[in-house]
Amino acid sequence: MFVHCPNDWLDFIEDINDREDLNKLSDQIQKHYEKDQCFPPMSLLFNAFTYCQLQQLKVVVLGQDPYHGLGQAHGLAFSVPFGVKHPPSLKNIIVEWSRDLDLSYPFSGNLEPWAAQGVLLLNTALSVGMSKPGSHLKDWRSFTETLISGISSKKDFVIFVLWGGFAQKFEKYINTDKHLVLKAGHPSPLSANKGHWFGNKHFSKINEVLESKKIQPIDWSLE
């Protein structure tokens, strides 16, 4: 499984994890993929890491688990491949993005351009069974806790973006004395329609903070 993880991140992951734990995780995920149809394709499990190089890391956006419908998940939290219909959570993300940055709603929901600039679009579980949301969360929990803690410990400054109560459970693994945490409700309609999402202006806030620290801001534009 980890053969699909880029070398810079793989070295980092192996440095902060026990090898036996990684082997157990790999075996368990392999079994899921052998038994059921799972998403994303195994070759794309570490796509978020492929597009966001470790040395360029500026922002971590934490999702829950991948989309569980056919053709939606491609390894980046909240993102869908070019041409795929935008799921409800992604629609609300882009509506907020559009209002915050005064940009027109894009055709594409593929967020790879953000990732390529140092935005790690990380799901707390990197895989899911078809039509079974949350089915792999327990398998990945320890891995993600260790990853967030490792990034917090070893990186000088990262903006962690926690959308929704589930993502916010991981705040305890972040050293808020040296990193910034931005929080809002989840972009799902259930949360957004209750007033917990729209108006957070996280996209502009991220760039304001990066610029204040003399770090290149993110070009948030999409096609």
Side-chain angles (χ1 to χ4, degrees):
M1 178 181 78
F2 285 98
V3 69
H4 301 294
C5 187
N7 288 337
D8 58 342
W9 279 104
L10 183 58
D11 290 344
F12 181 83
I13 288 167
E14 290 181 337
D15 182 51
I16 63 175
N17 281 277
D18 181 85
R19 183 172 291 274
E20 184 176 345
D21 291 339
L22 293 178
N23 289 338
K24 288 180 180 178
L25 172 62
S26 184
D27 288 345
Q28 185 60 43
I29 300 305
Q30 286 279 165
K31 289 177 182 177
H32 283 310
Y33 274 76
E34 291 168 1
K35 180 181 177 182
D36 302 310
Q37 185 164 12
C38 299
F39 303 123
M42 188 169 285
S43 61
L44 302 181
L45 270 181
F46 295 96
N47 220 18
F49 302 94
T50 299
Y51 280 91
C52 178
Q53 296 181 17
L54 177 60
Q55 294 303 316
Q56 295 181 333
L57 181 64
K58 302 173 184 177
V59 181
V60 176
V61 176
L62 195 60
Q64 186 163 323
D65 57 349
Y67 298 123
H68 53 86
L70 190 65
Q72 293 178 312
H74 67 138
L76 288 80
F78 299 109
S79 180
V80 293
F82 187 85
V84 172
K85 182 180 178 181
H86 301 175
S89 291
L90 179 57
K91 283 183 180 178
N92 286 336
I93 289 171
I94 296 180
V95 168
E96 174 61 24
W97 164 93
S98 175
R99 293 173 180 175
D100 183 16
L101 303 176
D102 194 24
L103 295 170
S104 299
Y105 195 99
F107 171 78
S108 177
N110 188 328
L111 307 183
E112 290 170 2
W114 300 355
Q117 298 174 75
V119 180
L120 182 65
L121 296 163
L122 178 68
N123 278 313
T124 58
L126 301 188
S127 60
V128 68
M130 183 175 181
S131 302
K132 297 178 181 178
S135 53
H136 298 181
L137 285 175
K138 290 183 180 178
D139 299 304
W140 288 99
R141 182 66 184 249
S142 178
F143 173 87
T144 305
E145 291 171 352
T146 303
L147 179 64
I148 295 295
S149 179
I151 291 172
S152 175
S153 174
K154 295 180 179 294
K155 299 295 285 187
D156 292 331
F157 177 75
V158 174
I159 300 173
F160 290 87
V161 182
L162 309 180
W163 290 337
F166 187 85
Q168 289 164 21
K169 292 178 181 178
F170 289 80
E171 184 177 7
K172 62 186 176 182
Y173 302 106
I174 301 167
N175 181 350
T176 55
D177 289 333
K178 69 172 183 172
H179 303 290
L180 176 65
V181 174
L182 295 178
K183 295 185 285 188
H186 197 274
S188 67
L190 183 63
S191 170
N193 293 340
K194 293 180 179 178
H196 302 313
W197 169 253
F198 294 113
N200 63 66
K201 297 186 181 296
H202 279 178
F203 301 98
S204 59
K205 287 178 181 177
I206 288 168
N207 277 355
E208 288 171 5
V209 171
L210 292 176
E211 289 175 334
S212 73
K213 291 184 170 291
K214 311 300 183 187
I215 300 172
Q216 181 70 26
I218 307 299
D219 176 359
W220 294 109
S221 59
L222 296 169
E223 297 181 21

